Amino acid sequence: MKVTLPKGTKDILPDEMIGWRFVENTFYQICINSGYGEIRTPVFEYTNLFNRGVGDTTDIVQKEMYTFNDKGGRSLTLRPEGTAGVARSFIEKGMASLPQPVKLFYMITAYRYENVQKGRYREFNQLGAEIFGAAGPVADVEVISLLNNFFSKLGLDKLSLEINSIGCPGCRNAYNVKLKEYYSDRIDGMCADCKRRFDTNPLRLIDCKNESCIAASLDAPLMLDNLCGECASHFSGVKAGLDSLDIKYTVNPRIVRGLDYYTKTVFEFVSENVGTQGTVCGGGRYDGLVESLGGSGTPGIGFSLGVERLFMELESNNIITGDKLVPEIYFVTIGEKAYAYARKLSCALRRAGVYTEMDLLGRSVKAQMKDADRKNARYVLVVGDDEIRQNKAQIKIMETGELKDVSLDSIYKRILEKKVQVV
Ligand code: ATP
Ligand code: MG
């Protein structure tokens, strides 16, 4: 039997994992520095969480969820995104009674049954953060500045930020009436998805990527021109906050997040090598979410970022090139006694935080040297019985080929003092 990966999934192999760790560690550090706490929620939740929390009318719920009954007959779904589970936890764990706001971040896998293509998988990774309990535009600015810090720490300055406001239920309802009026004599020429959305979620018609739908939407009224006073001043506050941090953005009145619970600010970070998978990160305000899941009315704002798409961007900018880790010291040993001695030294170095290598296959000295070379070790320390007796060994600086005598004792002492510079 030939075993293969399920369609739309992938293995991340050790060389690639170095880049993944770099990205995750950078995100972790930026979130911690910004006062966010990490949260882990289950990979699966009861299906009704996503029906309500993501929204019945969205593509995710209608087409993309991995839903199954467990042996006890409960309907479960693999999380298609992170926000709903985090909001469920916020409510269930009583986080509304903690000092507000509550700032959380996560690094998760998510699952969607999609047409697999570059940048679009069925299991993929998201980094996300949410702020609950802060209604003002400063929270929107804080979330966006977190992302801005993250990208600049990664050395990525090629993503452009696009922002919009999709209003609140009050102004959006009135706007939906206008939209429906506009589309009523155009909807016949639009795609099947749009025909379906016309009644349930007309806002989505604006961002349909189908050519005839784009043409039909050219003169559609925009939410941005129809905001109520409060939503308009919130949006001005967000723009002013971004300006004061020198964060560049463009207002794109056609960004709509497909999710029912989104309100006011929506934003995306888009790759300049635009393709259909150009959106690296999407976020926005969701003042209606917690309440729609049965919690008390709590404003929220957050984002989620697709790690695979971020990697496409990092790789195309040569920021991640799949570098290998190289050992600091490779111990080449001659004989059992020397092996035991070097192993002790090697263990101590590893505890002190130094990457060391030793042979595990009983190789000859020549083969050990070859292995050290192949692994690009910085230093090779040759240890045999004589060296132990004389408490002296030769260390080879691989880059230059230079040989130096070092005292084994002193190496050991230096390790204990945590001075890892060997030569
Ligand atoms: P798209 O329009 O590309 O389908 P989306 O609006 O469905 O994106 P979100 O639900 O906002 O995406 O998810 C946030 C981010 O997660 C996206 O911006 C993207 O980077 C990433 N993402 C979403 N779906 C996938 C997928 N199937 N494979 C890889 N990354 C994904
Ligand atoms: Mg999608």
Side-chain angles (χ1 to χ4, degrees), residues 59-60 64 112 114 120 309:
D59 284 353
I60 293 180
E64 298 170 358
R112 297 184 193 177
E114 300 218 54
R120 193 172 290 284
R309 293 196 196 167

Side-chain angles (χ1 to χ4, degrees), residues 172-185:
R172 200 182 318 148
N173 282 341
Y175 167 70
N176 278 343
V177 172
K178 275 197 190 175
L179 257 190
K180 281 180 145 177
E181 219 173 271
Y182 168 84
Y183 280 114
S184 60
D185 53 0

Side-chain angles (χ1 to χ4, degrees), residues 235-408:
F235 194 55
S236 303
V238 173
K239 289 190 290 185
L242 294 176
D243 290 339
S244 74
L245 285 173
D246 280 332
I247 296 176
K248 303 272 172 291
Y249 58 85
T250 51
V251 174
N252 176 353
R254 288 180 182 268
I255 300 180
V256 303
R257 306 291 302 161
L259 310 185
D260 296 349
Y261 55 72
Y262 275 104
T263 52
K264 295 179 176 163
T265 315
V266 286
F267 63 87
E268 291 182 350
F269 278 87
V270 186
S271 161
E272 282 174 3
N273 327 309
V274 201
T276 43
Q277 266 69 258
T279 308
V280 172
C281 176
R285 182 162 274 287
Y286 47 79
D287 291 346
L289 175 63
V290 172
E291 201 167 358
S292 82
L293 292 175
S296 56
T298 306
I301 172 129
F303 65 82
S304 75
L305 177 149
V307 184
E308 286 78 1
R309 293 196 196 167
L310 177 68
F311 265 91
M312 287 163 63
E313 199 55 22
L314 291 170
E315 279 161 10
S316 71
N317 288 292
N318 287 322
I319 293 171
I320 285 190
T321 50
D323 286 342
K324 282 189 192 309
L325 295 178
V326 298
E328 201 68 25
I329 303 185
Y330 194 113
F331 290 94
V332 169
T333 62
I334 313 158
E336 275 177 30
K337 205 170 152 200
Y339 188 85
Y341 185 93
R343 185 167 53 197
K344 207 168 160 192
L345 204 51
S346 167
C347 276
L349 271 171
R350 288 175 180 180
R351 279 198 299 275
V354 182
Y355 171 20
T356 65
E357 279 286 359
M358 283 187 69
D359 173 47
L360 289 176
L361 299 176
R363 288 184 172 103
S364 69
V365 171
K366 197 172 154 206
Q368 290 180 59
M369 285 304 276
K370 201 169 150 197
D371 192 38
D373 212 29
R374 189 170 42 216
K375 290 194 162 73
N376 267 325
R378 270 193 247 281
Y379 303 111
V380 170
L381 192 75
V382 184
V383 189
D385 290 353
D386 283 351
E387 280 78 6
I388 297 172
R389 210 174 313 115
Q390 294 163 13
N391 182 31
K392 208 169 75 180
Q394 272 202 328
I395 197 157
K396 183 173 179 186
I397 304 167
M398 297 298 272
E399 201 186 342
T400 56
E402 195 184 342
L403 291 167
K404 277 192 174 177
D405 280 340
V406 290
S407 108
L408 287 175

Side-chain angles (χ1 to χ4, degrees), residues 165 167-168 170-171 223 226-237 264:
S165 172
C168 62
C171 50
M223 185 71 241
N226 289 277
L227 296 177
C228 63
E230 192 205 319
C231 289
S233 90
H234 186 98
F235 194 55
S236 303
K264 295 179 176 163

